[in-house]
Amino acid sequence: MIINSRFFNRSELMGFIVLAAMLFVILPLSLDVFRLNLVAKYLTYAFVALGLVLCWGYGGILSLGQGVFFGLGGYCMAMFLKLEASSVENTKIQSTPGIPDFMDWNQITSLPLFWQPFHSLTFTILAIILVPGLFALIIGTAMFKRRVGGTYFAIITQAVAAILTILIVGQQGYTGGINGMTDLRTLKGWDIRPDHAKIILYFVEVVLLFACIGIAQFIRLTKLGRILVAMREQEDRVRFSGYSVANFKIFAFCMAAVFAAIGGAMFALNVGFMSPSFVGIVPSIEMVIYTAVGGRMSIFGAIWGAILVNFAKTSLSESFPQLWLFGLGALFIAVVLGFPNGLSGLWADYVQPRIDRLFASRKSKSGWNDNSVADGAPAE
């Protein structure tokens, strides 16, 4: 990953360093394995928030159905893990050994054809990227080519999330139904349940997250990123300039879907199960709230939003399980009305200027001419 003043401006570079220090050093050294695994769970939603920054923050496309792609990625990974856990030896007490337990309970006597390729890890990894990407491509093409956007697009994505949830719950023999896929044990024979495995998976997830940050930042800095911003502000002008607005929207939507799917796959690995409760309307809206709280225009802000809101959800829901959802709703309203750019906006408006003035004052006292040094960083 390129880390210099051209790739990150000064404040972004500071955000990168702080986040890397927290995730690679401070949290692993200060938390026990249980809490570290909780952080890994929070980070799976950071992938979704990262995609929403591109899709919603820069492209102006509000998707309320990101849980669909999170779930597709998670189910692809869960299918591979479930097949590994359903060997003939492990399932010899079933009436039909060698198939997942929920299929046996539903009188299915052979592995369905669409399950067969998930014996391969290579196919599974490709499916985690391609299945949500193709699904987003189909939805995006159907909507954006017909210039369906704004509120209508948000409602349609919610409807898709509801439909997929109903489909998963209804097809219990093929998906595990409302219980989902549980008892996931090994990845190519490697037990993912012990503490040392949880720690390794945490670091793998953090590396993947930073790789996705690099991709998102690269897109943001290219001409494509500038067109997304222009499209968000003045869609008609971009269209009249000869650009295909629909294609750019489809690309941003597909990228957000792929990021969400990677998060879903890591969720299945870290938590050890996957269920339709992570696919529907409520989790999809929560994912938007994570991004809004952190700041939909900031890559690092959205990631911090996902971590902090989930941490608050875990902490407060243990003490106030009935009131937590009201608190989450109030937080979203406060963000929309009080600080629309989220926590990153508050930082940029109130904290960063003070830090800049402090450094400028110290440079002035030391006799260093600040004007003689160019920052070299592109403007936000």
Side-chain angles (χ1 to χ4, degrees), residues 8 23 32 47 89 93 97 105 118 127 150-151 157 177 183 191 197 221 243 246 249 260 288 316 331-332 375 377:
F8 289 133
L23 297 182
D32 58 31
F47 286 90
E89 183 180 351
I93 62 172
W105 301 336
F118 287 94
T151 307
T157 53
D183 195 26
D191 197 335
L221 294 179
Y243 292 104
K249 285 186 173 182
V288 173
L316 297 178
L331 182 63
F332 184 61
D375 182 69

Side-chain angles (χ1 to χ4, degrees), residues 67-82:
V68 170
F69 309 112
F70 185 85
L72 287 175
Y75 268 94
C76 286
M77 178 56 75
M79 289 167 75
F80 172 79
L81 298 176
K82 191 63 182 175

Side-chain angles (χ1 to χ4, degrees), residues 102-144:
F102 57 82
M103 291 184 186
D104 191 60
W105 301 336
N106 287 275
Q107 287 80 49
I108 293 177
T109 56
S110 63
L111 193 66
L113 189 61
F114 72 94
W115 270 77
Q116 298 286 353
F118 287 94
H119 281 293
S120 165
L121 179 60
T122 303
F123 176 87
T124 301
I125 292 173
L126 291 175
I128 289 168
I129 297 172
L130 294 179
V131 171
L134 289 175
F135 195 50
L137 179 65
I138 294 170
I139 296 174
T141 303
M143 297 293 109
F144 297 133

Side-chain angles (χ1 to χ4, degrees), residues 1 5 13 31 38 124 134 140 153 173 181 191 248 336 357:
M1 184 186 300
S5 59
L13 184 59
L31 298 179
L38 275 182
T124 301
L134 289 175
F153 181 79
M181 297 184 193
D191 197 335
F248 286 109
V336 172
R357 283 198 294 273

Side-chain angles (χ1 to χ4, degrees), residues 64-68 156-166 279-281 284:
L64 295 178
Q66 290 306 101
V68 170
I156 288 171
T157 53
Q158 272 202 327
V160 172
I163 291 169
L164 185 63
T165 305
I166 294 170
V279 177
I281 293 175
S284 297

